[in-house]
Amino acid sequence: MSIWLLTAWVTYLLGVVIQWLNLNQEFKELDEYSNFPIIWAAQVVLSAGCLLEALAWPYSLIVDIDGTFSSVK
């Protein structure tokens, strides 16, 4: 593996971790209700969504929320 590919993977995974921590903090208020099964299931679904969004963080940098490509001005 070349050093550039290793650098790209490390920075991508670092971005995933940072994005995961930022997104996961939004759902901390559900922790006090985690003994209810429906809240636990909702927490699992939200965590899975956060993980998928964290894995796609480079895409969110390229494409704006409305689906158009962002342009540098």
Side-chain angles (χ1 to χ4, degrees):
M1 183 182 303
S2 73
I3 189 71
W4 298 113
L5 191 58
L6 180 65
T7 304
W9 271 107
V10 168
T11 55
Y12 171 75
L13 292 176
L14 183 64
V16 167
V17 169
I18 291 170
Q19 190 74 2
W20 167 260
L21 293 175
N22 287 337
L23 292 172
N24 208 18
Q25 287 178 355
E26 298 174 8
F27 306 110
K28 289 296 180 188
E29 68 269 1
L30 294 177
D31 285 343
E32 62 186 73
Y33 304 109
S34 63
N35 54 345
F36 298 112
I38 191 70
I39 299 297
W40 181 82
Q43 203 170 19
V44 168
V45 169
L46 288 173
S47 294
C50 285
L51 178 63
L52 290 176
E53 192 173 340
L55 289 172
W57 71 267
Y59 178 75
S60 66
L61 292 177
I62 297 170
V63 176
D64 288 335
I65 293 173
D66 59 354
T68 60
F69 286 100
S70 60
S71 60
V72 178
K73 295 181 180 179

PDB file of all heavy atoms in Angstrom, residues 25-50:
ATOM      1  N   GLN A  25     -23.987  12.951  19.400  1.00  0.00           N
ATOM      2  CA  GLN A  25     -24.292  13.789  20.556  1.00  0.00           C
ATOM      3  C   GLN A  25     -25.723  14.298  20.529  1.00  0.00           C
ATOM      4  O   GLN A  25     -26.276  14.642  21.560  1.00  0.00           O
ATOM      5  CB  GLN A  25     -23.338  14.980  20.611  1.00  0.00           C
ATOM      6  CG  GLN A  25     -21.950  14.610  21.041  1.00  0.00           C
ATOM      7  CD  GLN A  25     -21.025  15.812  21.024  1.00  0.00           C
ATOM      8  OE1 GLN A  25     -21.411  16.889  20.601  1.00  0.00           O
ATOM      9  NE2 GLN A  25     -19.807  15.610  21.487  1.00  0.00           N
ATOM     10  N   GLU A  26     -26.344  14.328  19.349  1.00  0.00           N
ATOM     11  CA  GLU A  26     -27.708  14.815  19.233  1.00  0.00           C
ATOM     12  C   GLU A  26     -28.711  13.903  19.928  1.00  0.00           C
ATOM     13  O   GLU A  26     -29.792  14.342  20.298  1.00  0.00           O
ATOM     14  CB  GLU A  26     -28.094  14.947  17.757  1.00  0.00           C
ATOM     15  CG  GLU A  26     -27.259  15.940  17.001  1.00  0.00           C
ATOM     16  CD  GLU A  26     -27.584  15.940  15.522  1.00  0.00           C
ATOM     17  OE1 GLU A  26     -28.556  15.276  15.122  1.00  0.00           O
ATOM     18  OE2 GLU A  26     -26.864  16.617  14.780  1.00  0.00           O
ATOM     19  N   PHE A  27     -28.366  12.645  20.131  1.00  0.00           N
ATOM     20  CA  PHE A  27     -29.315  11.678  20.660  1.00  0.00           C
ATOM     21  C   PHE A  27     -28.989  11.242  22.087  1.00  0.00           C
ATOM     22  O   PHE A  27     -29.464  10.209  22.539  1.00  0.00           O
ATOM     23  CB  PHE A  27     -29.375  10.457  19.742  1.00  0.00           C
ATOM     24  CG  PHE A  27     -29.662  10.829  18.324  1.00  0.00           C
ATOM     25  CD1 PHE A  27     -28.689  10.694  17.358  1.00  0.00           C
ATOM     26  CD2 PHE A  27     -30.883  11.346  17.969  1.00  0.00           C
ATOM     27  CE1 PHE A  27     -28.947  11.058  16.048  1.00  0.00           C
ATOM     28  CE2 PHE A  27     -31.149  11.709  16.657  1.00  0.00           C
ATOM     29  CZ  PHE A  27     -30.177  11.561  15.697  1.00  0.00           C
ATOM     30  N   LYS A  28     -28.221  12.012  22.804  1.00  0.00           N
ATOM     31  CA  LYS A  28     -27.850  11.650  24.167  1.00  0.00           C
ATOM     32  C   LYS A  28     -29.017  11.760  25.138  1.00  0.00           C
ATOM     33  O   LYS A  28     -29.034  11.110  26.163  1.00  0.00           O
ATOM     34  CB  LYS A  28     -26.690  12.530  24.668  1.00  0.00           C
ATOM     35  CG  LYS A  28     -25.384  12.213  24.012  1.00  0.00           C
ATOM     36  CD  LYS A  28     -24.954  10.815  24.350  1.00  0.00           C
ATOM     37  CE  LYS A  28     -23.646  10.494  23.685  1.00  0.00           C
ATOM     38  NZ  LYS A  28     -23.266   9.122  23.822  1.00  0.00           N
ATOM     39  N   GLU A  29     -30.043  12.581  24.809  1.00  0.00           N
ATOM     40  CA  GLU A  29     -31.164  12.724  25.718  1.00  0.00           C
ATOM     41  C   GLU A  29     -32.016  11.458  25.788  1.00  0.00           C
ATOM     42  O   GLU A  29     -32.787  11.284  26.716  1.00  0.00           O
ATOM     43  CB  GLU A  29     -32.033  13.918  25.345  1.00  0.00           C
ATOM     44  CG  GLU A  29     -32.779  13.767  24.040  1.00  0.00           C
ATOM     45  CD  GLU A  29     -32.012  14.289  22.840  1.00  0.00           C
ATOM     46  OE1 GLU A  29     -30.878  14.752  22.998  1.00  0.00           O
ATOM     47  OE2 GLU A  29     -32.560  14.220  21.741  1.00  0.00           O
ATOM     48  N   LEU A  30     -31.865  10.556  24.816  1.00  0.00           N
ATOM     49  CA  LEU A  30     -32.604   9.300  24.852  1.00  0.00           C
ATOM     50  C   LEU A  30     -31.993   8.287  25.809  1.00  0.00           C
ATOM     51  O   LEU A  30     -32.622   7.274  26.099  1.00  0.00           O
ATOM     52  CB  LEU A  30     -32.669   8.689  23.446  1.00  0.00           C
ATOM     53  CG  LEU A  30     -33.465   9.469  22.403  1.00  0.00           C
ATOM     54  CD1 LEU A  30     -33.363   8.771  21.058  1.00  0.00           C
ATOM     55  CD2 LEU A  30     -34.905   9.618  22.816  1.00  0.00           C
ATOM     56  N   ASP A  31     -30.805   8.535  26.317  1.00  0.00           N
ATOM     57  CA  ASP A  31     -30.137   7.582  27.195  1.00  0.00           C
ATOM     58  C   ASP A  31     -30.891   7.355  28.502  1.00  0.00           C
ATOM     59  O   ASP A  31     -30.863   6.255  29.055  1.00  0.00           O
ATOM     60  CB  ASP A  31     -28.711   8.037  27.503  1.00  0.00           C
ATOM     61  CG  ASP A  31     -27.774   7.814  26.342  1.00  0.00           C
ATOM     62  OD1 ASP A  31     -28.130   7.028  25.441  1.00  0.00           O
ATOM     63  OD2 ASP A  31     -26.700   8.436  26.326  1.00  0.00           O
ATOM     64  N   GLU A  32     -31.565   8.374  29.015  1.00  0.00           N
ATOM     65  CA  GLU A  32     -32.267   8.204  30.282  1.00  0.00           C
ATOM     66  C   GLU A  32     -33.521   7.352  30.136  1.00  0.00           C
ATOM     67  O   GLU A  32     -34.035   6.842  31.121  1.00  0.00           O
ATOM     68  CB  GLU A  32     -32.616   9.557  30.883  1.00  0.00           C
ATOM     69  CG  GLU A  32     -33.542  10.392  30.039  1.00  0.00           C
ATOM     70  CD  GLU A  32     -33.746  11.774  30.608  1.00  0.00           C
ATOM     71  OE1 GLU A  32     -32.801  12.587  30.519  1.00  0.00           O
ATOM     72  OE2 GLU A  32     -34.833  12.027  31.131  1.00  0.00           O
ATOM     73  N   TYR A  33     -34.009   7.176  28.907  1.00  0.00           N
ATOM     74  CA  TYR A  33     -35.191   6.346  28.668  1.00  0.00           C
ATOM     75  C   TYR A  33     -34.843   5.020  28.013  1.00  0.00           C
ATOM     76  O   TYR A  33     -35.712   4.368  27.450  1.00  0.00           O
ATOM     77  CB  TYR A  33     -36.185   7.095  27.768  1.00  0.00           C
ATOM     78  CG  TYR A  33     -36.598   8.429  28.308  1.00  0.00           C
ATOM     79  CD1 TYR A  33     -36.159   9.607  27.714  1.00  0.00           C
ATOM     80  CD2 TYR A  33     -37.421   8.515  29.419  1.00  0.00           C
ATOM     81  CE1 TYR A  33     -36.540  10.834  28.205  1.00  0.00           C
ATOM     82  CE2 TYR A  33     -37.805   9.741  29.925  1.00  0.00           C
ATOM     83  CZ  TYR A  33     -37.361  10.898  29.305  1.00  0.00           C
ATOM     84  OH  TYR A  33     -37.734  12.104  29.798  1.00  0.00           O
ATOM     85  N   SER A  34     -33.599   4.596  28.085  1.00  0.00           N
ATOM     86  CA  SER A  34     -33.160   3.419  27.339  1.00  0.00           C
ATOM     87  C   SER A  34     -33.701   2.107  27.903  1.00  0.00           C
ATOM     88  O   SER A  34     -33.526   1.066  27.285  1.00  0.00           O
ATOM     89  CB  SER A  34     -31.635   3.362  27.279  1.00  0.00           C
ATOM     90  OG  SER A  34     -31.109   3.226  28.573  1.00  0.00           O
ATOM     91  N   ASN A  35     -34.376   2.129  29.061  1.00  0.00           N
ATOM     92  CA  ASN A  35     -34.934   0.890  29.589  1.00  0.00           C
ATOM     93  C   ASN A  35     -36.260   0.522  28.907  1.00  0.00           C
ATOM     94  O   ASN A  35     -36.740  -0.578  29.075  1.00  0.00           O
ATOM     95  CB  ASN A  35     -35.120   0.962  31.097  1.00  0.00           C
ATOM     96  CG  ASN A  35     -35.942   2.154  31.529  1.00  0.00           C
ATOM     97  OD1 ASN A  35     -36.149   3.073  30.752  1.00  0.00           O
ATOM     98  ND2 ASN A  35     -36.407   2.135  32.763  1.00  0.00           N
ATOM     99  N   PHE A  36     -36.836   1.430  28.135  1.00  0.00           N
ATOM    100  CA  PHE A  36     -38.049   1.119  27.378  1.00  0.00           C
ATOM    101  C   PHE A  36     -37.652   0.516  26.033  1.00  0.00           C
ATOM    102  O   PHE A  36     -36.794   1.049  25.338  1.00  0.00           O
ATOM    103  CB  PHE A  36     -38.885   2.383  27.147  1.00  0.00           C
ATOM    104  CG  PHE A  36     -39.377   3.017  28.410  1.00  0.00           C
ATOM    105  CD1 PHE A  36     -38.891   4.244  28.812  1.00  0.00           C
ATOM    106  CD2 PHE A  36     -40.323   2.376  29.198  1.00  0.00           C
ATOM    107  CE1 PHE A  36     -39.332   4.835  29.971  1.00  0.00           C
ATOM    108  CE2 PHE A  36     -40.780   2.955  30.357  1.00  0.00           C
ATOM    109  CZ  PHE A  36     -40.283   4.189  30.752  1.00  0.00           C
ATOM    110  N   PRO A  37     -38.287  -0.592  25.648  1.00  0.00           N
ATOM    111  CA  PRO A  37     -37.883  -1.273  24.402  1.00  0.00           C
ATOM    112  C   PRO A  37     -38.051  -0.415  23.146  1.00  0.00           C
ATOM    113  O   PRO A  37     -37.205  -0.468  22.251  1.00  0.00           O
ATOM    114  CB  PRO A  37     -38.798  -2.496  24.338  1.00  0.00           C
ATOM    115  CG  PRO A  37     -39.266  -2.702  25.723  1.00  0.00           C
ATOM    116  CD  PRO A  37     -39.281  -1.368  26.390  1.00  0.00           C
ATOM    117  N   ILE A  38     -39.105   0.372  23.064  1.00  0.00           N
ATOM    118  CA  ILE A  38     -39.317   1.179  21.870  1.00  0.00           C
ATOM    119  C   ILE A  38     -38.267   2.279  21.754  1.00  0.00           C
ATOM    120  O   ILE A  38     -37.789   2.594  20.660  1.00  0.00           O
ATOM    121  CB  ILE A  38     -40.756   1.750  21.828  1.00  0.00           C
ATOM    122  CG1 ILE A  38     -41.070   2.354  20.459  1.00  0.00           C
ATOM    123  CG2 ILE A  38     -40.960   2.771  22.918  1.00  0.00           C
ATOM    124  CD1 ILE A  38     -41.215   1.352  19.371  1.00  0.00           C
ATOM    125  N   ILE A  39     -37.852   2.835  22.878  1.00  0.00           N
ATOM    126  CA  ILE A  39     -36.791   3.849  22.868  1.00  0.00           C
ATOM    127  C   ILE A  39     -35.461   3.209  22.499  1.00  0.00           C
ATOM    128  O   ILE A  39     -34.673   3.778  21.756  1.00  0.00           O
ATOM    129  CB  ILE A  39     -36.712   4.569  24.234  1.00  0.00           C
ATOM    130  CG1 ILE A  39     -38.020   5.271  24.552  1.00  0.00           C
ATOM    131  CG2 ILE A  39     -35.551   5.527  24.266  1.00  0.00           C
ATOM    132  CD1 ILE A  39     -38.393   6.384  23.593  1.00  0.00           C
ATOM    133  N   TRP A  40     -35.221   2.002  23.001  1.00  0.00           N
ATOM    134  CA  TRP A  40     -33.985   1.297  22.666  1.00  0.00           C
ATOM    135  C   TRP A  40     -33.932   1.011  21.164  1.00  0.00           C
ATOM    136  O   TRP A  40     -32.901   1.198  20.524  1.00  0.00           O
ATOM    137  CB  TRP A  40     -33.894  -0.005  23.458  1.00  0.00           C
ATOM    138  CG  TRP A  40     -32.643  -0.753  23.169  1.00  0.00           C
ATOM    139  CD1 TRP A  40     -31.413  -0.537  23.708  1.00  0.00           C
ATOM    140  CD2 TRP A  40     -32.496  -1.819  22.233  1.00  0.00           C
ATOM    141  NE1 TRP A  40     -30.510  -1.418  23.162  1.00  0.00           N
ATOM    142  CE2 TRP A  40     -31.142  -2.215  22.265  1.00  0.00           C
ATOM    143  CE3 TRP A  40     -33.372  -2.484  21.389  1.00  0.00           C
ATOM    144  CZ2 TRP A  40     -30.657  -3.235  21.477  1.00  0.00           C
ATOM    145  CZ3 TRP A  40     -32.878  -3.510  20.599  1.00  0.00           C
ATOM    146  CH2 TRP A  40     -31.538  -3.881  20.650  1.00  0.00           C
ATOM    147  N   ALA A  41     -35.054   0.570  20.594  1.00  0.00           N
ATOM    148  CA  ALA A  41     -35.098   0.291  19.156  1.00  0.00           C
ATOM    149  C   ALA A  41     -34.903   1.570  18.355  1.00  0.00           C
ATOM    150  O   ALA A  41     -34.194   1.577  17.342  1.00  0.00           O
ATOM    151  CB  ALA A  41     -36.421  -0.375  18.791  1.00  0.00           C
ATOM    152  N   ALA A  42     -35.520   2.659  18.788  1.00  0.00           N
ATOM    153  CA  ALA A  42     -35.344   3.937  18.099  1.00  0.00           C
ATOM    154  C   ALA A  42     -33.892   4.402  18.180  1.00  0.00           C
ATOM    155  O   ALA A  42     -33.353   4.951  17.219  1.00  0.00           O
ATOM    156  CB  ALA A  42     -36.264   4.988  18.694  1.00  0.00           C
ATOM    157  N   GLN A  43     -33.262   4.158  19.315  1.00  0.00           N
ATOM    158  CA  GLN A  43     -31.864   4.544  19.488  1.00  0.00           C
ATOM    159  C   GLN A  43     -30.951   3.738  18.569  1.00  0.00           C
ATOM    160  O   GLN A  43     -29.993   4.283  18.010  1.00  0.00           O
ATOM    161  CB  GLN A  43     -31.471   4.346  20.949  1.00  0.00           C
ATOM    162  CG  GLN A  43     -30.327   5.160  21.406  1.00  0.00           C
ATOM    163  CD  GLN A  43     -30.173   5.088  22.918  1.00  0.00           C
ATOM    164  OE1 GLN A  43     -30.701   4.181  23.564  1.00  0.00           O
ATOM    165  NE2 GLN A  43     -29.465   6.024  23.472  1.00  0.00           N
ATOM    166  N   VAL A  44     -31.247   2.470  18.382  1.00  0.00           N
ATOM    167  CA  VAL A  44     -30.453   1.633  17.473  1.00  0.00           C
ATOM    168  C   VAL A  44     -30.610   2.125  16.036  1.00  0.00           C
ATOM    169  O   VAL A  44     -29.629   2.226  15.292  1.00  0.00           O
ATOM    170  CB  VAL A  44     -30.863   0.148  17.612  1.00  0.00           C
ATOM    171  CG1 VAL A  44     -30.276  -0.694  16.495  1.00  0.00           C
ATOM    172  CG2 VAL A  44     -30.440  -0.389  18.966  1.00  0.00           C
ATOM    173  N   VAL A  45     -31.831   2.445  15.637  1.00  0.00           N
ATOM    174  CA  VAL A  45     -32.076   2.930  14.274  1.00  0.00           C
ATOM    175  C   VAL A  45     -31.387   4.277  14.053  1.00  0.00           C
ATOM    176  O   VAL A  45     -30.757   4.507  13.011  1.00  0.00           O
ATOM    177  CB  VAL A  45     -33.593   3.032  14.005  1.00  0.00           C
ATOM    178  CG1 VAL A  45     -33.877   3.773  12.713  1.00  0.00           C
ATOM    179  CG2 VAL A  45     -34.210   1.651  13.982  1.00  0.00           C
ATOM    180  N   LEU A  46     -31.478   5.173  15.041  1.00  0.00           N
ATOM    181  CA  LEU A  46     -30.827   6.473  14.905  1.00  0.00           C
ATOM    182  C   LEU A  46     -29.311   6.340  14.857  1.00  0.00           C
ATOM    183  O   LEU A  46     -28.640   7.052  14.102  1.00  0.00           O
ATOM    184  CB  LEU A  46     -31.237   7.390  16.056  1.00  0.00           C
ATOM    185  CG  LEU A  46     -32.673   7.902  16.017  1.00  0.00           C
ATOM    186  CD1 LEU A  46     -32.989   8.656  17.300  1.00  0.00           C
ATOM    187  CD2 LEU A  46     -32.896   8.781  14.816  1.00  0.00           C
ATOM    188  N   SER A  47     -28.758   5.424  15.646  1.00  0.00           N
ATOM    189  CA  SER A  47     -27.312   5.205  15.623  1.00  0.00           C
ATOM    190  C   SER A  47     -26.860   4.638  14.283  1.00  0.00           C
ATOM    191  O   SER A  47     -25.804   5.013  13.770  1.00  0.00           O
ATOM    192  CB  SER A  47     -26.899   4.265  16.749  1.00  0.00           C
ATOM    193  OG  SER A  47     -27.127   4.863  17.990  1.00  0.00           O
ATOM    194  N   ALA A  48     -27.648   3.741  13.719  1.00  0.00           N
ATOM    195  CA  ALA A  48     -27.307   3.193  12.399  1.00  0.00           C
ATOM    196  C   ALA A  48     -27.361   4.288  11.336  1.00  0.00           C
ATOM    197  O   ALA A  48     -26.502   4.346  10.451  1.00  0.00           O
ATOM    198  CB  ALA A  48     -28.255   2.053  12.041  1.00  0.00           C
ATOM    199  N   GLY A  49     -28.357   5.162  11.432  1.00  0.00           N
ATOM    200  CA  GLY A  49     -28.431   6.288  10.498  1.00  0.00           C
ATOM    201  C   GLY A  49     -27.259   7.232  10.642  1.00  0.00           C
ATOM    202  O   GLY A  49     -26.724   7.741   9.660  1.00  0.00           O
ATOM    203  N   CYS A  50     -26.859   7.471  11.895  1.00  0.00           N
ATOM    204  CA  CYS A  50     -25.689   8.323  12.136  1.00  0.00           C
ATOM    205  C   CYS A  50     -24.428   7.697  11.552  1.00  0.00           C
ATOM    206  O   CYS A  50     -23.584   8.406  11.010  1.00  0.00           O
ATOM    207  CB  CYS A  50     -25.499   8.556  13.633  1.00  0.00           C
ATOM    208  SG  CYS A  50     -26.656   9.705  14.344  1.00  0.00           S
TER     209      CYS A  50
END
